[in-house]
């Protein structure tokens, strides 16, 4: 053990990630109402509680591991990728599943093969697709904006105020809207004139994307993440979207919608950058992010789900160990990659 | 100015070097007794040349060099050998080593010694002088200098003098260069002649401007062209492989020697010892040691080998809360089992430690594969993978992922946010692999011996049977020799 060490710790890294999410949370509150704070609280409580129970069951010291902040990161990513009006039990179920199954049953912090937050998201969207696609309309666009109390009441199963249908308070996401209307034979250019699309990628959504970029760049400056994954992921999505749009503008939306809409930016800076479930080698990160960008675009455009980031992440998680094995950097004094073996000691 | 290169990784730990460079090198006072391990080098160790109770003079050999891959050990002062016994050596485990304990008589009287006219002498005589003078690499590896300097059949074009001294707290090479640059440049001339290198470069980290200036002045006055090259301060730029890369752009092959890429590298303190052994005829009996850390007056001391660390540290006035001593720097050094262990040739620094100076690290957390260790690794390894394999005792995998290219510099430990003692895992895995290889070798030898024994027993049985058969009635006269026996068997 060296006698001196850099001021660094796992909890410092995790709390830096949480801090980098704060701008996005602020934007979320501004555009979609403060109910997101309730979702964050619900997910955080569920994550910390299930983490504590699992640590106790696995005979690990509870306090130092609760303080590492990793469960909170999972919780926040789940809350931010869920519809703000998702019923409380859905948020809690997804979070508990993420912590108990995806994290602890795979060996806990540092050992999970899959990104826990994305496992939670996948479980929710496969099991409860209806609830997962009902996004509250941005306050500016809702036919009847819900007050904070009414939003909270809805989340906790209280139903909507008398005379209001769900359609009055929710909207499909821009990516979902595009898909539905394309299926009806409309042209992409006309569909995107609808108010839900905002300037680039969705009313509110585009500012949210900007907030994720701001937080992500700060994380990069803090040396918590490297440039490889965000740059490669964003570039792949952008190039694919631009190419298909150029080939057939009526059928395919352009790069701005794909970058500003959906989970592209939270995925690029906060989800795919999870070090545990992604490759660590520089070349490996590029391949991983490129693959995730490709899969995200494919699932969005031709798949059955409104967005593809979660499934793209999980599929690339599966490939991460193999990618890492084949992208070992060259070691000092060796001709080829680090997996050389070498002679006898 | 030559074009410099860079190695991957590296860290910038706080240097803490200014404390021990305010005062010039001081002469350490004579210790009450000197404990001199007979082996202070890599390689074979000779039998003791002294007995208990014998009087010795300063510089008198205690053990001669044993064979080509060895170096001698000498009495650091005059006095009486009070014991030849096992004594804790400066080693993390408190390993015992055979030591000569010398009670100084206070006269510090030299044995007869004479300079060598190395410019006109046979290089073999100069090499023998280095070996018999006990000169070994003082940068830490204590490799016999004569072995390195004789070239071993590989042509060397570049001689690099390592004044990097990149580890925090350590300043003994810095002070040596500041104060004794002319002597070092004489030592460089000797080594240049021995190695036949065309190009001579002194690499010094650019955080030592005084040393650079002193060496430039001394080397400028030298009879041979010597370049003094300030290199960017980046730990471990003073590592041999890293300095060679920075200065020449060449990489020492994995598990190979610098000579394979035409380079040979000596530490400045070694070069100074070469000068003393050859030009003054003084075998290696002392060295400069930095005493720093939790002490009132940190500085460098010229210290006789064998001085107990506690007595040396006392000269710098350890603070009352000192809880132990580190030999070496804070990244590659190790805590000493006791302050009674002696200063040896490999001792460049003694750091008094305290809880306030080096707080205990928090308990390790699981590795989250953040990759900071890989960014910091100067060997280009993936330390988190090696840790994983070492922890799982998957030694074959660890070796496959180049475990033996790890130079144990501690960069990965330094940056790890999970506070995992990574280098400890690598040292353990290397030790296990070496032990297994040795066990396999031993087992192979035993098997070969066993097989030969069986073969011999079978043969003897056959011979006996043949003899009996030949003695039986009606048989031919028994053949007298085994050859004849074989012939008769072939005939049948």
């Amino acid at each position: 053990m060296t006698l001196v060490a850099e001021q660094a710790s796992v909890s410092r890294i995790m709390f830096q990630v949480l801090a980098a999410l704060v701008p996005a949370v602020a934007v979320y509150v501004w555009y979609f109402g403060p109910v997101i704070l309730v979702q964050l609280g619900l997910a955080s409580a569920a994550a910390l509680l299930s983490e504590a129970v699992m640590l106790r069951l696995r005979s690990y010291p509870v306090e130092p591991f609760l303080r590492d902040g990793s469960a909170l990161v999972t919780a926040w990513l789940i809350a931010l990728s869920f519809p703000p009006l998702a019923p409380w039990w859905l948020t809690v179920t997804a979070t508990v599943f993420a912590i108990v199954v995806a994290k602890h049953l795979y060996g806990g912090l540092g050992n999970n093969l899959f990104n826990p937050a994305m496992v939670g998201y996948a479980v929710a969207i496969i099991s409860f697709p209806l609830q997962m696609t009902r996004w509250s309309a941005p306050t500016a666009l809702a036919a009847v904006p819900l007050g904070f109390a009414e939003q909270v009441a809805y989340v906790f199963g209280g139903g909507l105020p008398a005379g209001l249908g769900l359609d009055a308070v929710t909207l499909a996401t821009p990516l979902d809207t595009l898909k539905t209307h394309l299926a009806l034979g409309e042209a992409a250019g006309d569909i995107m004139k609808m108010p839900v699309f905002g300037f680039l990628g969705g009313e509110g959504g585009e500012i949210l994307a900007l907030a994720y970029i701001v937080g992500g760049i700060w994380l990069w400056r803090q040396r918590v993440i490297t440039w490889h994954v965000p740059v490669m992921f964003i570039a792949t999505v952008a190039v694919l979207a631009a190419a298909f749009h150029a080939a057939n503008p009526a059928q395919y939306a352009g790069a701005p919608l794909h970058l500003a809409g959906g989970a592209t930016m939270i995925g690029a800076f906060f989800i795919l950058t999870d070090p545990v479930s992604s490759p660590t080698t520089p070349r490996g990160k590029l391949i991983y992010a490129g693959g995730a960008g490709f899969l995200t675009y494919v699932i969005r455009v031709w798949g059955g789900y409104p967005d593809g980031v979660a499934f793209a992440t999980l599929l690339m998680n599966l490939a991460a160990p193999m990618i890492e094995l084949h992208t070992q950097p060259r070691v000092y004094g060796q001709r080829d990659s680090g997996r050389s073996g070498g002679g006898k000691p | 100015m030559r074009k410099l290169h860079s190695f991957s990784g590296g860290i910038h730990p706080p240097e803490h070097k200014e404390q021990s460079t305010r005062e010039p090198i001081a002469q350490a006072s004579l210790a009450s007794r000197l404990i001199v391990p007979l082996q202070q080098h890599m390689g074979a160790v000779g039998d003791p040349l002294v007995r208990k109770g014998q009087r010795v003079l300063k510089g008198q050999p205690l053990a001669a060099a044993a064979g080509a891959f060895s170096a001698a050990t000498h009495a650091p002062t005059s006095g009486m050998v009070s014991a030849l016994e096992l004594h804790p050596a400066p080693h993390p485990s408190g390993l015992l080593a055979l030591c000569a304990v010398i009670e100084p008589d206070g006269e510090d009287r030299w044995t007869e010694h004479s300079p060598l006219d190395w410019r006109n002498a046979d290089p073999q005589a100069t090499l023998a002088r280095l070996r018999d003078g006990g000169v070994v690499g003082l940068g830490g590896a204590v490799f016999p200098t004569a072995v390195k300097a004789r070239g071993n059949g590989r042509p060397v074009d570049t001689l690099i003098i390592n004044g990097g001294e990149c580890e925090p707290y350590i300043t003994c090479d810095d002070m040596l260069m500041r104060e004794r640059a002319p002597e070092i440049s004489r030592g460089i001339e000797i080594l240049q002649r021995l190695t036949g290198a065309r190009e001579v470069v002194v690499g010094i980290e650019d955080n030592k401007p005084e040393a650079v200036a002193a060496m430039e002045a001394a080397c400028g006055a030298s009879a041979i062209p010597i370049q003094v090259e300030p290199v960017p301060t980046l730990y471990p730029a003073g590592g041999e492989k890293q300095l060679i890369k920075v200065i020449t752009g060449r990489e020492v092959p994995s598990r190979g020697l610098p000579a394979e890429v035409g380079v040979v590298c000596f530490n400045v303190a070694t070069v100074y010892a070469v000068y003393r052994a050859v030009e003054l005829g003084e075998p290696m009996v002392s060295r400069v040691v930095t005493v720093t850390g939790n002490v009132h007056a940190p500085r460098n001391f010229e210290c006789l080998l064998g001085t107990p660390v506690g007595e040396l540290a006392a000269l710098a006035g350890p603070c009352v809360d000192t809880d132990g001593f580190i030999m070496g720097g804070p990244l590659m050094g190790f805590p000493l089992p006791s302050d009674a262990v002696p200063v040896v040739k490999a001792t460049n620094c003694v750091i008094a430690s305290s809880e306030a100076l080096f707080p205990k690290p928090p308990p390790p957390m699981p590795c989250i594969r953040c990759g900071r260790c890989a960014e910091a690794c100067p060997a280009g390894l993936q330390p988190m993978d090696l840790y994983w394999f070492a922890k799982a005792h998957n030694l074959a995998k660890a070796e496959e992922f180049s475990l033996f290219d790890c130079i144990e510099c501690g960069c990965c430990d330094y940056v790890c946010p999970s506070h995992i003692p990574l280098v400890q895992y690598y040292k353990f895995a290397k030790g296990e692999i070496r032990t297994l290889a040795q066990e396999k070798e031993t087992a192979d030898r035993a098997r070969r011996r066993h097989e030969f024994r069986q073969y011999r027993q079978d043969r003897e049985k056959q011979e006996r049977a043949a003899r009996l058969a030949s003695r039986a009635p009606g048989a031919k006269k028994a053949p007298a020799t085994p050859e004849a026996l074989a012939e008769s068997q072939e005939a049948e």
Side-chain angles (χ1 to χ4, degrees), chain B residues 25-383:
Chain B
I25 300 171
Q27 198 67 44
S29 50
L30 192 58
S32 56
R33 57 179 202 152
L34 297 171
I35 301 145
V36 188
L38 296 186
Q39 181 177 26
Q40 298 185 45
H41 55 269
M42 263 167 63
V45 56
D47 290 329
L49 298 174
V50 292
R51 304 177 315 278
K52 184 179 169 186
Q54 184 180 335
R55 300 205 66 82
V56 289
L57 292 173
K58 179 171 185 158
Q60 185 176 334
L62 300 173
F69 196 88
S70 184
T73 311
H74 303 82
T77 187
S78 59
M80 194 189 65
V81 179
S82 63
L84 269 171
E85 62 186 16
L86 290 175
H87 198 277
H91 189 273
S93 69
L95 195 75
L96 297 177
L98 182 61
C99 298
V101 181
I102 295 172
E103 305 286 344
D105 58 16
E107 292 173 23
D108 206 31
R109 198 143 48 85
W110 272 98
T111 179
E112 217 170 280
H113 59 286
S114 59
L116 179 73
D117 179 15
W118 56 272
R119 284 195 175 81
N120 300 311
D122 178 8
Q124 290 305 322
T126 315
L127 290 171
R129 173 63 68 96
L130 296 180
R131 191 190 61 180
D132 299 336
V135 182
V136 300
L138 301 184
V142 289
F143 192 88
T145 301
V147 177
K148 224 172 176 182
R150 75 177 176 227
N152 306 306
R154 287 202 180 84
V156 162
D157 57 45
T158 309
L159 169 63
I160 293 179
I161 307 302
N162 188 345
E165 197 170 53
C166 53
E167 200 169 351
Y169 287 94
I170 309 175
T171 58
C172 56
D173 290 352
D174 184 5
M175 296 307 287
L176 195 70
M177 288 188 283
R178 289 190 202 188
E179 297 183 18
R180 301 178 194 176
E183 291 86 348
I184 295 172
S185 81
R186 301 293 289 274
I188 296 174
E189 290 171 18
I190 299 169
L191 288 167
Q192 188 275 334
R193 189 178 155 85
L194 285 176
T195 56
R198 288 193 314 276
E199 198 171 22
V200 185
V201 187
V202 184
I204 305 172
E205 268 196 350
D206 58 12
N207 60 356
K208 301 183 240 312
E210 296 92 340
V212 171
M215 288 299 292
E216 271 173 349
C219 294
S222 166
I224 59 166
I226 304 173
Q227 288 179 53
V228 177
E229 199 62 55
V231 301
T233 298
L234 174 66
Y235 179 84
E240 184 175 73
K241 291 176 168 187
Q242 280 64 38
L243 189 64
I244 290 173
K245 175 82 192 261
V246 168
I247 287 178
T248 66
R250 302 176 206 167
E251 290 190 0
V252 181
S254 176
R255 298 200 190 186
L257 293 172
E260 291 171 40
V261 288
V263 179
V264 66
C265 181
F266 297 96
N267 167 273
V268 285
T270 314
V271 179
Y272 179 69
V274 167
Y275 156 79
R276 277 174 80 149
V278 177
E279 291 228 339
L280 306 181
E282 294 179 5
M284 204 193 153
V285 293
S286 69
R287 67 159 296 154
V288 178
V289 182
T290 307
V291 182
T292 184
N294 196 37
V295 294
H296 291 296
R299 79 185 293 177
N300 283 277
F301 292 93
E302 169 118 35
C303 171
L304 292 183
L305 301 176
T307 303
V309 163
E311 290 194 39
L312 172 64
L315 301 175
C319 303
V320 281
D321 60 338
T322 297
D323 57 10
F325 295 100
I326 315 297
M327 192 171 280
L331 291 161
M332 295 186 74
F334 54 90
L336 291 171
S338 114
D339 68 355
V341 302
V343 167
V344 291
K345 289 175 183 173
T347 308
N348 50 7
C349 183
V350 171
I351 305 178
S353 65
S354 72
E355 179 59 32
L357 190 61
F358 302 123
K360 237 174 76 149
M365 293 286 285
C367 168
I368 55 166
R369 296 163 38 83
C370 65
R372 289 184 186 189
C373 49
E375 279 173 39
C377 180
L381 298 168
Q382 299 284 300

